Amino acid sequence: MTGHGPPAARPGDGGGDPAGRFAGRVALVTGGARNIGLAIARRLAAEGAAVAVNGPDPAETEAAVASLRESGARALATPGDVSDAAQVDACVARTADAFGRLDVLVNNAAAPLAGRGPLLDLDPADWDRSFAVNARGVFLATVAAARAMATGSAIVNISSVGAARAHRAAVAYDASKGAVESMTRATALELAPWGIRVNAVAPGPVANDRFEALDAVRQRARIQPVPLGRMGDGSDVAAAVAFLASADAAFITGQVLTVDGGLSAQIRPPGLDASLDLPHALAGAPRPRPTHPHEGTTP
């Protein structure tokens, strides 16, 4: 985003084969060294992108990059704290210097466990840390990346179903994700004149290292409210991110795509009243024959 007007489009800004939608393009994924972030980095790399991986732990970030390179990807480690403006600027600059451009930013870094607990026990320091990483980090990375981007670029923020449907004992996290969704809409308007799109993905229950550490009973309890009957995984979120970052979503900006297996579509979770869970209550019962509104009448 240089000069006084929208920059010219560059090669690779069009569509094409989904297997190579990001050929010749460069992506930066914050919080990309594990879980959802690593799945996103792998998906973008599999579709042809050179990928810069950011994470707070240098050793973990380097390990993630090594795994991407083993699969044949062009990858770069850019460790740093996304809540620190100087570190974010350095991360973006290193990416652009190494690959010559920056086309896609995925703001995935988060502090999901900061401030988890009852409201009246919430430490203000945990509130501040949650917003520092989850909201300030998105702001800093968006500004730094937009200055290096050209027309046809895209930013995808990772929100949460908690932005619109509250978790219990997660006030700081949910509030910070609400800020991310508001920021998504506002920055989409700000960056539209430069041809830079901004959208968000709001994951629901997704299996990660914390889920895998639960026993089978607790895992089933997490799955039970999901209409599609399973936990999501990183690849589900990565597919949505890849779509929004690609030219297939060229006329979409300022939107939030929920990826939650139907969790937020329901008024109440299944199992509270079996008589209302129609697919179960009507199992084996004959279905009524549909009646046309004018059946039995004379035209």
Side-chain angles (χ1 to χ4, degrees):
M1 195 175 81
T2 57
H4 299 287
R10 297 187 296 197
D13 290 339
D17 183 355
R21 287 186 294 186
F22 298 100
R25 294 168 74 78
V26 175
L28 168 61
V29 182
T30 70
R34 63 164 71 177
N35 294 328
I36 290 174
L38 183 54
I40 293 168
R42 286 175 174 157
R43 175 63 183 254
L44 296 178
E47 293 199 35
V51 181
V53 176
N54 159 267
D57 183 331
E60 184 179 51
T61 305
E62 291 286 356
V65 165
S67 72
L68 290 169
R69 289 174 177 163
E70 287 174 1
S71 67
R74 296 171 64 206
L76 172 73
T78 56
D81 181 352
V82 296
S83 69
D84 183 288
Q87 293 186 50
V88 170
D89 288 345
C91 177
V92 170
R94 186 176 180 191
T95 302
D97 289 344
F99 296 126
R101 58 191 287 168
L102 177 59
D103 305 285
V104 175
L105 168 67
V106 182
N107 281 310
N108 173 72
L113 298 181
R116 288 296 183 106
L119 171 64
L120 300 185
D121 296 333
L122 179 59
D123 188 329
D126 288 334
W127 172 277
D128 292 343
R129 183 59 184 165
S130 185
F131 269 80
V133 176
N134 301 354
R136 175 182 166 89
V138 171
F139 161 70
L140 292 175
T142 295
V143 171
R147 287 174 173 153
M149 287 175 159
T151 293
S153 298
I155 297 170
V156 182
N157 300 323
I158 304 302
S159 179
S160 166
V161 291
R165 301 285 193 275
H167 296 99
R168 289 178 173 80
V171 173
Y173 179 79
D174 286 355
S176 70
K177 290 301 187 178
V180 168
E181 293 195 1
S182 292
M183 203 181 325
T184 296
R185 292 183 286 272
T187 54
L189 298 182
E190 292 276 345
L191 297 177
W194 281 272
I196 300 171
R197 298 179 300 104
V198 187
N199 291 290
V201 173
V206 173
N208 54 25
D209 50 9
R210 297 185 301 278
F211 175 80
E212 298 299 337
L214 298 175
D215 60 38
V217 173
R218 291 184 179 181
Q219 287 187 357
R220 286 195 297 271
R222 294 285 182 89
I223 295 169
Q224 191 269 339
V226 182
L228 287 183
R230 69 171 177 90
M231 292 288 283
D233 61 32
S235 66
D236 294 310
V237 180
V241 169
F243 164 66
L244 289 174
S246 76
D248 292 331
F251 200 54
I252 300 174
T253 195
Q255 304 303 309
V256 179
L257 175 57
T258 301
V259 180
D260 70 350
L263 181 69
S264 61
Q266 59 195 345
I267 295 175
R268 57 167 191 81
L272 293 182
D273 185 345
S275 67
L276 298 178
D277 295 331
L278 294 180
H280 306 289
L282 297 180
R287 294 187 177 184
R289 176 174 171 267
T291 302
H292 189 278
H294 301 294
E295 187 171 341
T297 63
T298 302

